[in-house]
Amino acid sequence: MPDFKPAEMMTIAAARALSNDDVCFVGIGAPSAACNLARLTHAPDITLIYESGTIGTRPDVLPLSIGDGELCETALTTVSGPEMFRYWLQGGRITIGFLAAAQIDKYGNINTTVVGDYHKPKVRLPGGGGAPEIAISCGEIFITARHQKRVFVDKLDFITSLGHGPNGEGRAAFGVHTKGPTKLITDLCVMEPDPETLAFTVASLHPGVTREAVRDETGWSVAFADSVEETPPPTDEELTVLRDLQARTKAAHAAG
Amino acid sequence: MPDFKPAEMMTIAAARALSNDDVCFVGIGAPSAACNLARLTHAPDITLIYESGTIGTRPDVLPLSIGDGELCETALTTVSGPEMFRYWLQGGRITIGFLAAAQIDKYGNINTTVVGDYHKPKVRLPGGGGAPEIAISCGEIFITARHQKRVFVDKLDFITSLGHGPNGEGRAAFGVHTKGPTKLITDLCVMEPDPETLAFTVASLHPGVTREAVRDETGWSVAFADSVEETPPPTDEELTVLRDLQARTKAAHAAG
Amino acid sequence: MARIMPLGEAVAQCVTDGASLAMEGFTHLIPHAAAHEVIRQGRKDLTVMRMTPDLIYDQMIGMGCVAKLIFSFAGNPGVGLLRRLRDAVENGWPRAIEIEEHSHAAMANAYEAGAAGLPCAIFRGYRGAELKRVNPNIKSVICPFTGEELAAVPALNPDVAIIHAQKADKQGNVLIEGIVGVQKEAVLAAKAAIVTVEEVVEDLRGLHPNLCILPHWTVDCISVVPGGAHPSYTQGYYPRDNAFYTEWDAISADRDGFLAWMDEHVLKSGPEDFARHAGKGA
Amino acid sequence: MARIMPLGEAVAQCVTDGASLAMEGFTHLIPHAAAHEVIRQGRKDLTVMRMTPDLIYDQMIGMGCVAKLIFSFAGNPGVGLLRRLRDAVENGWPRAIEIEEHSHAAMANAYEAGAAGLPCAIFRGYRGAELKRVNPNIKSVICPFTGEELAAVPALNPDVAIIHAQKADKQGNVLIEGIVGVQKEAVLAAKAAIVTVEEVVEDLRGLHPNLCILPHWTVDCISVVPGGAHPSYTQGYYPRDNAFYTEWDAISADRDGFLAWMDEHVLKSGPEDFARHAGKGA
């Protein structure tokens, strides 16, 4: 087993969840790394869409922002903002929406708006951006986040975008009929919603990670699937391609 | 005074009503000839828009259809159908909408839908196309039509697009706040709405045309302005430019 | 995922009796070859929609393929009326057809709403116009901020969209240039889409970033039919055959003349016969 | 009708205290030079709107120009939070600001509605999301055909839109290429519009027919400011200065450091200082 960092395992596990036929709405940061890693390994024909309007983009380095020139230069086509949100996202054409989270609860609801009271926030976060509609319009949602207690909270300060409902009442209660969050991929494990409770439950632990470690960093009383697997470790190819991508990215952004 | 045909006088009188600063939504047929004549004479910078999506077009020959290739090739830009009707027409950016009519009443309401009953028509006409919204969204409307009793009727079989209301009740009654039809240019005369009654009233008679001739071809009891002018006859330049345009057009379409 | 296949196969795969069909093209890029194929395959009871039904819908109506027409301007552009459509509406020949009539703005907005996955479109339209009296699919909504009443029409979501375009690439991405009309919207609004193209090129990437391109995963079937828009035109390939549009007025003037023309030029012909109208790529 | 004039004149003519202002650009083509000019002219009590307020709004807020912010994502893209915005929202420094918060979909639809002359936009949005609890400008309408409840937001119609673009021609027509965002919509929705451009060329006609072009009669003022989008980028001219976006995090970390930077790089500078960032035309 090659040597790897937890963040690398997270990105690689997320990449594996994507297939060649997916049309993926990509958030910036870890989702972008995972989506492009998938494209550069097992899913060369995956369609990546960034909310800046770039469709079918194939960046050689990871963009720093959601709208770097590289995304447009390598895209099949670049459309306007209204068209992106109307025809492509709301039109129901996206199979996977890939989100990051500042706070997430056990039902996959996400907060990226405020810590504390909305009107008197302790920390004013950037806000929802595309997430409220990505969360409801894509076929399903993958979420990726560092596994930390301040992120994996029992109760969100604010619901920016819908998961399976604040009380796990399910999405239909909100008139939403897409699948919602089906995978939560962290640097410790992969979680999936329990079919009954809809609460995120550990499906596989990354190599070397204990149940205790997951419990320590999860703000809710975390459940484990009946048979928890070990996440297959990164392959040499996966690690090499990811590290090359990140090295190219670092060099390009430093030069900028 | 050069020799000219009534149809030429109509086109020339219509062209004169347009100015260099106008942004004009152009219908096919006589309106197209008038708008391009204006562009080739006194209004070289007039903006012509055809509902096919072509903006700022400068055709060398008159298009046979509303979407001939010539319109696109000479346009500043060509936009999609939804954008044309949303941003450009409904957006209130057009100063003059130029319409033709199969039937028109004295208040400038137009029928291009059916002769006879809608559900059992005697003649099924093409329908409204862009006209219902051109009639309400443009700053004002010019209408051009051959002056014939079967066109200038007392009562329309069907109101395809709004003028000043079926009973001259004014446009505000329909929630419309643009000026509506301000000029009706025929091969006999130029008519304008009476400020009180809103009924089209003869403002000027083309050279050689009598009041009797107008009365004979008008299906309503036509009024004349207090001082009816004589329409200035075509100038040599106007006639030459129009005839050249029509000759080029004829040659191009025969060759097509 | 787009597959490149002969037009006959594409139509057989996608178009069934009773289907709703949008064959769009605003004067430019009208899919004549595909319409002829639908007629040859003898499809019946179709609901056909189009902003500007012209010769191809006149032909389909005259051949009895059509049960219902949704439209906003039914004319032979620059020439006059559609005689086969008139015969169907006025006399029920060869069969009565139902019509649902809108304005251009309504149809364009309805396709846009269809592409955008919305159930309806709202716009400022139809004020003082009588169509809303005869078309129950024209309703209204009130703006919750200003109280203004706006017109509403249902989204158009055809079972099948069929369009003609300049080019596809080998992956099945499609490029449309020039007067683009509502073709992109019709394809995105439809459950299935067929695109006939003048030619297939290696790759559409690297052209200008903001062109009108349909990704391969939005299209089902691509058929290479050079000249397939004739007598309409394909910008960059061949001009509009204005003379034919004028001729059509005489061809369609009576039923027998129409049927004879259709027999020779449609029933006994094939997509390959359009090739003689094809021009050079740009 | 567009007139070409110096940026200082354009801003002085169009932007008044208390005006509502949309300075759009989605990562690409952000009008930095124009924002600096607004700050230099000392405008106050502005309502500023933008999908992605980043450095320029952070600067305007930190300099006390802003009374209200309408937005959907307020971050330093790829870097983190906006520290001057946070200081205003969390601590009221240098003044308290009102915020009206939406999603990207809502803002994009609201600009689209503004450009389309509609009072509101409808879309399928905000379901299960809490913003509608805190933003009274999120309402709903019922589809009259299906009964589905859709979200509604008021159209955005700023007093002034300011954008940066690649080129204008001598008549004042403007070309925008690449990631075009909502710039066309912002200009068409606004009562007045200023466009800064990299260069003026003879004529934009004859390029591809379907490019994103604003006709001269939709724009009021055009100012030639090469490099005017730096540290954002202009496709075909110069790349994004990613290093500066990272630096901004430190520059804006405390009030004094921020004010010192603004004094040197904005108050004591001018549009011509952007020229050193300009690149070559495509």
Side-chain angles (χ1 to χ4, degrees):
Chain A
M1 178 161 80
D3 217 30
F4 60 89
K5 294 188 185 134
E8 291 174 330
M9 183 71 251
M10 173 171 82
T11 301
I12 289 166
R16 289 174 186 161
L18 300 166
S19 83
N20 213 22
D21 290 339
D22 277 321
V23 176
C24 195
F25 210 87
V26 187
I28 217 65
S32 181
C35 291
N36 281 289
L37 178 58
R39 183 175 61 80
L40 295 169
T41 54
H42 66 282
D45 291 329
I46 190 172
T47 297
L48 304 186
I49 298 183
Y50 288 71
E51 66 190 8
S52 53
T54 52
I55 296 176
T57 185
R58 301 171 175 174
D60 188 50
V61 303
L62 295 174
L64 182 70
S65 81
I66 204 92
D68 280 18
E70 171 94 357
L71 293 175
C72 176
E73 283 158 17
T74 63
L76 175 64
T77 182
T78 297
V79 302
S80 75
E83 179 176 330
M84 176 50 63
F85 288 98
R86 288 177 70 80
Y87 292 4
W88 300 93
L89 182 59
Q90 183 178 263
R93 266 166 260 287
I94 315 291
T95 61
I96 312 266
F98 219 129
L99 295 173
Q103 278 188 343
I104 182 169
D105 70 15
K106 65 177 155 187
Y107 299 117
N109 305 293
I110 288 176
N111 173 23
T112 53
T113 304
V114 287
V115 178
D117 178 69
Y118 181 80
H119 296 287
K120 290 192 179 123
K122 267 186 275 187
V123 184
R124 175 63 237 197
L125 299 168
E133 284 75 25
I134 293 172
I136 62 174
S137 295
C138 298
E140 55 191 307
I141 298 294
F142 295 167
I143 303 168
T144 183
R146 283 289 177 92
H147 213 131
Q148 297 175 324
K149 211 154 192 165
R150 66 181 180 88
V151 175
F152 288 63
V153 300
D154 190 47
K155 190 168 164 37
L156 298 180
D157 288 332
F158 192 89
I159 298 180
T160 306
S161 40
L162 180 69
H164 298 290
N167 304 303
E169 58 270 67
R171 296 159 64 83
F174 301 89
V176 178
H177 304 289
T178 48
K179 284 187 194 163
T182 52
K183 278 189 196 297
L184 169 55
I185 300 139
T186 83
D187 49 353
L188 299 183
C189 63
V190 175
M191 304 175 97
E192 291 173 0
D194 179 90
E196 297 289 314
T197 68
L198 301 180
F200 268 124
T201 302
V202 177
S204 77
L205 289 164
H206 297 338
V209 174
T210 64
R211 293 186 177 214
E212 209 47 41
V214 171
R215 280 196 197 97
D216 282 351
E217 293 293 352
T218 307
W220 65 80
S221 169
V222 66
F224 291 80
D226 289 344
S227 64
V228 174
E229 319 261 318
E230 185 185 83
T231 313
T235 65
D236 285 335
E237 191 212 352
E238 287 168 336
L239 269 182
T240 305
V241 173
L242 175 59
R243 286 172 182 174
D244 284 355
L245 176 63
Q246 286 173 331
R248 280 201 304 278
T249 299
K250 198 172 169 186
H253 292 176
Chain B
M1 178 161 79
D3 217 28
F4 61 88
K5 294 188 185 131
E8 291 173 329
M9 183 72 250
M10 174 170 82
T11 301
I12 288 165
R16 288 174 185 160
L18 299 166
S19 85
N20 212 23
D21 291 338
D22 276 322
V23 176
C24 196
F25 210 87
V26 186
I28 217 65
S32 181
C35 291
N36 281 289
L37 177 59
R39 183 175 61 79
L40 295 169
T41 53
H42 66 282
D45 291 330
I46 190 171
T47 297
L48 304 186
I49 298 183
Y50 288 72
E51 66 190 8
S52 53
T54 53
I55 295 176
T57 185
R58 302 171 175 174
D60 188 51
V61 303
L62 295 175
L64 182 69
S65 81
I66 204 92
D68 280 18
E70 172 94 358
L71 293 175
C72 176
E73 283 158 18
T74 64
L76 175 64
T77 182
T78 298
V79 302
S80 75
E83 178 175 332
M84 175 49 64
F85 287 98
R86 288 178 71 81
Y87 292 4
W88 300 93
L89 182 59
Q90 184 177 263
R93 266 165 260 287
I94 314 292
T95 61
I96 311 266
F98 219 130
L99 295 173
Q103 278 189 343
I104 183 169
D105 70 14
K106 66 179 155 186
Y107 299 116
N109 305 293
I110 288 175
N111 173 22
T112 54
T113 304
V114 286
V115 178
D117 178 67
Y118 182 80
H119 295 288
K120 289 192 181 125
K122 265 185 277 188
V123 184
R124 175 63 236 196
L125 300 167
E133 284 74 27
I134 293 172
I136 63 175
S137 295
C138 299
E140 55 192 303
I141 298 293
F142 295 167
I143 302 168
T144 184
R146 283 287 177 92
H147 213 132
Q148 297 176 324
K149 212 157 192 165
R150 67 180 180 89
V151 175
F152 288 64
V153 300
D154 190 48
K155 188 165 167 41
L156 298 181
D157 288 333
F158 192 88
I159 298 181
T160 306
S161 41
L162 180 69
H164 298 290
N167 304 302
E169 59 271 67
R171 296 160 65 83
F174 301 90
V176 178
H177 304 290
T178 47
K179 283 187 196 163
T182 52
K183 277 188 197 297
L184 169 54
I185 300 138
T186 82
D187 49 352
L188 300 182
C189 63
V190 175
M191 305 175 97
E192 292 174 0
D194 179 88
E196 297 289 315
T197 68
L198 301 180
F200 269 124
T201 301
V202 177
S204 77
L205 289 165
H206 298 337
V209 174
T210 64
R211 294 186 177 214
E212 208 48 40
V214 171
R215 281 197 196 97
D216 282 352
E217 292 294 351
T218 307
W220 64 80
S221 168
V222 66
F224 292 81
D226 289 346
S227 64
V228 174
E229 320 261 318
E230 184 184 83
T231 313
T235 66
D236 284 334
E237 190 212 354
E238 286 169 335
L239 269 182
T240 305
V241 173
L242 175 59
R243 287 172 182 174
D244 283 355
L245 175 63
Q246 287 174 330
R248 280 200 304 277
T249 299
K250 198 172 169 186
H253 291 176
Chain C
M1 292 295 159
R3 283 203 308 125
I4 298 179
M5 63 179 79
L7 180 58
E9 222 176 277
V11 168
Q13 176 184 314
C14 296
V15 185
T16 56
D17 286 351
S20 64
L21 201 57
M23 307 186 76
E24 273 295 345
F26 201 94
T27 314
H28 182 213
L29 294 173
I30 298 170
H32 275 261
H36 288 185
E37 188 59 37
V38 171
I39 293 168
R40 263 193 304 276
Q41 295 196 10
R43 295 283 69 79
K44 297 287 170 210
D45 297 322
L46 301 172
T47 290
V48 294
M49 60 191 79
R50 185 153 163 228
M51 290 175 67
T52 52
D54 57 6
L55 273 48
I56 58 173
Y57 280 13
D58 207 34
Q59 293 169 354
M60 290 168 71
I61 289 167
M63 296 298 281
C65 306
V66 174
K68 180 178 177 182
L69 171 67
I70 304 171
F71 76 104
S72 43
F73 184 89
N76 180 345
V79 177
L81 304 175
L82 293 176
R83 296 178 183 279
R84 294 299 97 222
L85 167 63
R86 278 189 62 186
D87 206 7
V89 172
E90 296 168 16
N91 310 310
W93 191 92
R95 56 166 293 177
I97 63 169
E98 187 188 345
I99 65 171
E100 177 178 335
E101 186 168 2
H102 286 283
S103 66
H104 277 350
M107 292 279 288
N109 274 289
Y111 276 120
E112 204 272 351
L118 289 176
C120 66
I122 60 172
F123 63 107
R124 188 178 291 109
Y126 286 131
R127 289 184 184 174
E130 217 170 335
L131 268 185
K132 59 188 172 192
R133 179 175 63 75
V134 296
N135 180 349
N137 263 345
I138 301 170
K139 297 191 176 183
S140 64
V141 300
I142 305 294
C143 170
F145 302 99
T146 63
E148 182 178 358
E149 185 179 337
L150 297 165
V153 292
L156 287 170
N157 289 104
D159 293 327
V160 189
I162 305 182
I163 64 166
H164 187 75
Q166 275 93 349
K167 294 176 173 74
D169 68 15
K170 290 193 170 164
Q171 207 185 7
N173 304 299
V174 171
L175 173 68
I176 313 171
E177 300 182 296
I179 292 175
V180 295
V182 294
Q183 282 98 303
K184 182 175 187 171
E185 287 74 16
V187 166
L188 295 181
K191 295 180 191 73
I194 300 172
V195 183
T196 56
V197 295
E198 292 294 328
E199 61 176 329
V200 172
V201 298
E202 187 62 33
D203 195 349
L204 290 175
R205 283 171 197 265
L207 304 175
H208 191 280
N210 303 125
L211 302 187
C212 180
I213 289 184
L214 287 164
H216 62 94
W217 40 275
T218 64
V219 171
D220 296 83
C221 308
I222 291 173
S223 300
V224 184
V225 187
H230 178 272
S232 150
Y233 70 106
T234 298
Q235 191 102 31
Y237 290 80
Y238 46 91
R240 191 167 189 266
D241 185 351
N242 282 322
F244 183 82
Y245 279 87
T246 306
E247 281 166 41
W248 181 252
D249 203 48
I251 294 167
S252 62
D254 71 274
R255 296 170 184 174
D256 289 344
F258 164 74
L259 290 173
W261 191 93
M262 293 300 289
D263 187 59
E264 182 181 344
H265 295 92
V266 178
L267 299 184
K268 292 182 178 149
S269 299
E272 64 283 0
D273 293 304
F274 282 82
R276 70 180 188 277
H277 305 295
K280 284 280 179 202
Chain D
M1 292 296 160
R3 283 204 307 125
I4 298 179
M5 63 179 78
L7 179 58
E9 221 174 278
V11 169
Q13 176 185 314
C14 296
V15 185
T16 57
D17 285 351
S20 63
L21 201 56
M23 306 185 76
E24 274 294 346
F26 201 95
T27 315
H28 183 213
L29 294 174
I30 297 170
H32 275 262
H36 288 185
E37 187 61 36
V38 171
I39 292 169
R40 263 194 304 276
Q41 296 196 8
R43 294 283 70 76
K44 298 286 169 212
D45 297 322
L46 300 173
T47 291
V48 294
M49 60 192 78
R50 186 153 162 228
M51 289 175 69
T52 54
D54 57 6
L55 274 49
I56 57 172
Y57 280 13
D58 208 34
Q59 293 169 353
M60 290 168 71
I61 288 167
M63 295 298 281
C65 307
V66 173
K68 180 178 178 182
L69 171 66
I70 304 172
F71 76 107
S72 43
F73 184 89
N76 180 344
V79 178
L81 305 173
L82 293 176
R83 297 176 181 280
R84 295 299 98 222
L85 167 63
R86 279 189 60 185
D87 206 8
V89 172
E90 296 168 15
N91 310 310
W93 189 90
R95 56 166 293 177
I97 63 169
E98 186 187 344
I99 65 171
E100 177 179 336
E101 186 168 1
H102 287 282
S103 66
H104 277 350
M107 292 280 288
N109 274 288
Y111 277 121
E112 204 272 353
L118 288 176
C120 66
I122 60 171
F123 62 109
R124 189 178 292 110
Y126 287 131
R127 290 185 183 173
E130 217 171 334
L131 269 184
K132 59 188 172 191
R133 180 176 62 76
V134 296
N135 181 348
N137 263 344
I138 301 171
K139 298 191 175 183
S140 65
V141 300
I142 305 293
C143 170
F145 302 99
T146 63
E148 184 179 358
E149 186 178 336
L150 299 165
V153 292
L156 287 170
N157 290 103
D159 293 327
V160 189
I162 306 183
I163 64 166
H164 187 76
Q166 275 93 348
K167 295 176 172 75
D169 69 15
K170 290 193 169 163
Q171 208 185 6
N173 304 299
V174 171
L175 173 68
I176 313 171
E177 299 182 298
I179 292 176
V180 295
V182 294
Q183 282 98 304
K184 182 175 188 172
E185 286 75 16
V187 166
L188 296 181
K191 296 180 191 72
I194 299 173
V195 183
T196 56
V197 296
E198 292 294 327
E199 61 176 331
V200 172
V201 298
E202 188 63 33
D203 194 349
L204 291 175
R205 282 170 198 266
L207 305 176
H208 191 280
N210 303 126
L211 302 187
C212 179
I213 289 183
L214 287 164
H216 62 93
W217 41 276
T218 63
V219 171
D220 296 83
C221 307
I222 291 173
S223 300
V224 184
V225 187
H230 177 272
S232 148
Y233 70 106
T234 298
Q235 190 100 33
Y237 290 81
Y238 46 90
R240 192 166 188 267
D241 184 352
N242 282 322
F244 184 82
Y245 278 87
T246 307
E247 281 166 41
W248 182 250
D249 203 48
I251 294 167
S252 62
D254 71 275
R255 295 171 185 175
D256 289 344
F258 164 75
L259 289 173
W261 191 92
M262 292 300 289
D263 186 59
E264 183 182 343
H265 294 91
V266 178
L267 300 183
K268 291 181 178 148
S269 298
E272 63 284 1
D273 293 305
F274 281 83
R276 69 180 189 278
H277 305 296
K280 284 281 178 201

